Amino acid sequence: MAPTKEELERRRIVGVEAERVSNVTSTDFPGHYPGEDYAWDLERFRKSLKIQIHKANDLDYEFDLIGVDASVANAFRRILISEVPTLAIETVFVHNNTSIVQDEVLAQRLGLVPLRGDKKGFQQLRWLKKNPDEPAAEATDFNTVVMALKVTCTRNHATPATETDPEKLYFNSSVYARDIKFTPQGRQSEWFSGAGEIRPVNPDILLAKLRPGQEVDIEMHCVLGIGQDHAKFSPVATASYRLLPSIRIKQPITGEEAEKFVNCFPKGVAEVQTDKKTGQKKAVVVNPRKDTVSREVLRHDEFKGKVELGRVRDHFIFSVESTGMYNSDELFLQAVQILKKKCVDFHEKLLDS
Amino acid sequence: MADNETLPDAPEYDNEAAGDVDYDDDEPLDLTRENNAKIIMLGSATDDDSCASFQFENEDHTLGNALRWIIMKNPKVEFCGYSIPHPSEPKMNMRIQTYGDITAKDALIQGLADLRDLCDVVTDTFVAEKERFVTEKKQAVA
């Protein structure tokens, strides 16, 4: 007994009503509907899965992931935020810091600076296994990247006495992320050479301000880590999804009301179309993707029973914004690989036991 | 900076000891290659092993919910649910009950294999769509 088209459509929509949501839980499980087969089928999944890219900048991706359950989409999102490994400054050795920024505050600022470098080179890096007794004992060129920051502020005697701008009065009055210099160890000079040198993604991050006579002289050790451990290791600024909004007009909305209906939505969601023969105005939905699902339309009595708002259960509009170590598309593929790796590892362990 | 004081020379990297086999440079970066997965079976309630609870270490809702969903997709499974018993313990418990045709462990193994295959399909689809998007953009420019 196959379900009707209307029934299938109804199951796909999570209802958004004035004061409540409806039809929230997925029901695509075997045994839920008598006579219907919802068993896992890889080939069926391959056919039904759709991905549509909408925006593809290096650091900013937007794509639609259609045909997966929320639990899977959420796994990808969670992995993007907290389980894709990146490099960040972890240990800071302050040789000298006479600036007004305290050592621990400066160290915290340094840790949060996003780094980038040759992506092939990063594949050579391994986890640093921490040994609390001897923190530096395990460090090798395979797991630790050394950076140095050495800036001294001096007076510029060439400026006139009336000058008040510190940028002109002094040399190095500000310490920027671009002053952090990569100090390759061992084979790191092969892996990260030329344009692939490890460096801050954003050179203009202000780290500290200096006045003549003050200096910072700092050595930093960067290691691989994941966002779960510290947010500085998170490779994304945001990774989020929303469900595609759906607006269903059940009865035609015409005349004056059509105008009002269109104004209930953000620009471009709905529009008034005029019938060429009769000259009658009618509201139609053109692009529900732009809707914010504000539910404004449900506040007006004249639309009662004429319109149904909802969201499409299996249509995820993903947005991945990278901090710069990897491009957004690489990050998503890595996230999928990490979920796969989890499965493979447990699979192996269970087969062995 | 003191020259090589803090960093001793790296030992020769031993691929086999680190647990990686034939790592292909073209493959997507996978830094979690070492298999640290830990799973134990908690006490079973029935003699035929059709019901069991498993405890995953260092896992959370990320794997828990996705795995629960795919195991529930198995028609031989009567019930599957997961919980995180305490928020400050990195442990995830999963309960599986089958109708008796297969053991709970088999259902779990099947679920992990299915989820692995799902990931491959998502990767293939994403890569194909990226190629399509890039060529389309190039044509639009030309």
Side-chain angles (χ1 to χ4, degrees):
Chain A
M1 191 179 62
T4 60
K5 230 179 162 186
E6 290 76 39
E7 169 64 10
L8 281 178
E9 189 59 25
R10 191 194 64 79
R11 288 182 200 168
R12 270 189 80 212
I13 304 291
V14 178
V16 176
E17 295 165 26
E19 301 291 346
R20 57 190 300 179
V21 286
S22 59
N23 196 24
V24 182
T25 321
S26 1
T27 52
D28 54 343
F29 300 111
H32 192 94
Y33 299 103
E36 284 180 46
D37 173 34
Y38 273 111
W40 173 250
D41 181 338
L42 189 65
E43 286 317 306
R44 195 159 60 194
F45 177 72
R46 196 189 298 276
K47 280 195 196 104
S48 64
L49 178 73
K50 283 191 184 66
I51 295 178
Q52 293 163 356
I53 296 175
H54 287 267
K55 189 164 73 184
N57 304 326
D58 280 354
L59 301 186
D60 192 7
Y61 243 69
E62 190 178 287
F63 59 91
D64 290 11
L65 183 65
I66 310 160
V68 298
D69 189 72
S71 55
V72 176
N74 196 37
F76 294 147
R77 184 193 62 84
R78 285 173 62 99
I79 292 173
L80 275 169
I81 293 171
S82 69
E83 288 186 57
V84 178
T86 63
L87 192 74
I89 294 167
E90 171 76 357
T91 319
V92 173
F93 302 92
V94 183
H95 299 313
N96 193 9
N97 173 23
T98 48
S99 78
I100 57 159
V101 185
Q102 297 94 322
D103 293 1
E104 66 275 23
V105 178
L106 188 57
Q108 149 83 345
R109 290 179 72 78
L110 289 167
L112 292 167
V113 173
L115 303 172
R116 65 184 302 184
D118 192 291
K119 286 165 195 158
K120 278 257 165 78
F122 284 131
Q123 294 184 358
Q124 302 291 338
L125 297 182
R126 300 290 179 269
W127 300 108
L128 171 69
K129 290 200 184 83
K130 278 189 188 162
N131 179 353
D133 302 326
E134 271 185 279
E138 304 286 335
T140 71
D141 54 350
F142 279 100
N143 57 31
T144 306
V145 171
V146 179
M147 310 282 270
L149 177 66
K150 192 169 171 31
V151 183
T152 311
C153 180
T154 50
R155 199 174 291 276
N156 181 0
H157 294 288
T159 49
T162 51
E163 181 62 61
T164 53
D165 182 2
E167 293 287 324
K168 288 171 187 154
L169 270 176
Y170 317 121
F171 296 113
N172 296 330
S173 65
S174 303
V175 184
Y176 290 104
R178 68 173 87 93
D179 300 321
I180 299 176
K181 295 288 180 248
F182 176 43
T183 319
Q185 309 289 323
R187 287 175 62 192
Q188 285 173 3
S189 48
E190 296 166 34
W191 307 331
F192 306 102
S193 60
E197 217 179 55
I198 296 178
R199 61 197 184 279
V201 178
N202 314 95
D204 295 330
I205 301 171
L206 182 65
L207 296 171
K209 289 206 168 188
L210 301 180
R211 284 298 175 265
Q214 296 182 342
E215 78 158 25
V216 285
D217 180 3
I218 289 173
E219 183 185 325
M220 290 153 281
H221 288 189
C222 317
V223 298
L224 287 177
I226 53 173
Q228 231 165 33
D229 189 33
H230 192 295
K232 69 185 173 188
F233 292 117
S234 184
V236 291
T238 61
S240 62
Y241 59 71
R242 64 194 178 99
L243 292 177
L244 179 76
S246 105
I247 304 158
R248 198 162 77 90
I249 298 176
K250 291 161 79 185
Q251 280 171 41
I253 295 165
T254 53
E256 294 261 305
E257 279 183 8
E259 206 72 56
K260 191 174 176 187
F261 179 85
V262 169
N263 286 330
C264 286
F265 296 98
K267 226 175 167 184
V269 174
E271 64 181 30
V272 178
Q273 285 182 355
T274 315
D275 197 298
K276 272 177 192 158
K277 281 180 198 158
T278 59
Q280 197 184 37
K281 284 180 176 174
K282 192 180 149 201
V284 284
V285 177
V286 282
N287 190 2
R289 198 188 163 86
K290 284 187 175 172
D291 191 21
T292 55
V293 199
S294 67
R295 292 175 288 171
E296 170 69 16
V297 71
L298 303 178
R299 296 178 64 233
H300 304 281
D301 284 340
E302 54 266 54
F303 303 129
K304 221 167 206 167
K306 290 187 175 175
V307 60
E308 256 177 20
L309 297 184
R311 289 182 180 273
V312 182
R313 185 190 304 285
D314 63 349
H315 189 133
F316 298 89
I317 302 172
F318 249 91
S319 148
V320 181
E321 195 185 310
S322 164
T323 52
M325 184 156 158
Y326 300 109
N327 291 346
S328 289
D329 53 330
E330 296 166 336
L331 282 176
F332 181 74
L333 288 172
Q334 278 194 47
V336 180
Q337 288 300 312
I338 288 172
L339 183 62
K340 181 185 166 186
K341 175 71 179 152
K342 282 174 187 286
C343 298
V344 171
D345 284 356
F346 281 111
H347 194 258
E348 276 174 13
K349 281 276 148 91
L350 279 168
L351 288 183
D352 289 348
S353 67
Chain B
M1 198 198 86
D3 269 14
N4 288 319
E5 293 279 311
T6 45
L7 285 184
D9 280 347
E12 266 311 302
Y13 187 70
D14 187 348
N15 278 301
E16 269 178 37
D20 21 351
V21 246
D22 289 336
Y23 187 64
D24 183 2
D25 274 1
D26 296 330
E27 280 285 298
L29 178 67
D30 185 6
L31 281 160
T32 49
R33 263 163 290 146
E34 240 170 290
N35 188 347
N36 294 323
K38 259 190 207 156
I39 183 166
I40 52 166
M41 200 195 254
L42 303 170
S44 169
T46 52
D47 295 333
D48 61 350
D49 290 330
S50 66
C51 308
S53 294
F54 301 87
Q55 186 162 65
F56 294 68
E57 254 177 58
N58 296 317
E59 289 303 336
D60 52 17
H61 302 280
T62 305
L63 185 69
N65 200 12
L67 196 56
R68 186 221 91 222
W69 174 75
I70 204 125
I71 292 174
M72 281 171 77
K73 282 280 211 182
N74 187 341
K76 290 172 182 161
V77 171
E78 184 183 18
F79 174 85
C80 179
Y82 80 100
S83 84
I84 288 165
H86 195 283
S88 50
E89 278 181 333
K91 287 178 177 134
M92 188 264 293
N93 287 2
M94 182 165 276
R95 175 74 180 172
I96 301 172
Q97 289 173 206
T98 72
Y99 287 109
D101 306 336
I102 55 171
T103 66
K105 188 180 160 188
D106 290 339
L108 179 58
I109 290 173
Q110 184 62 45
L112 287 163
D114 289 343
L115 197 56
R116 177 196 64 201
D117 298 343
L118 178 147
C119 289
D120 283 335
V121 173
V122 173
T123 302
D124 293 347
T125 316
F126 189 86
V127 170
E129 165 65 10
K130 204 174 95 188
E131 260 167 40
R132 188 202 65 79
F133 190 82
V134 169
T135 41
E136 201 168 81
K137 227 178 184 184
K138 268 187 198 151
Q139 282 167 355
V141 171

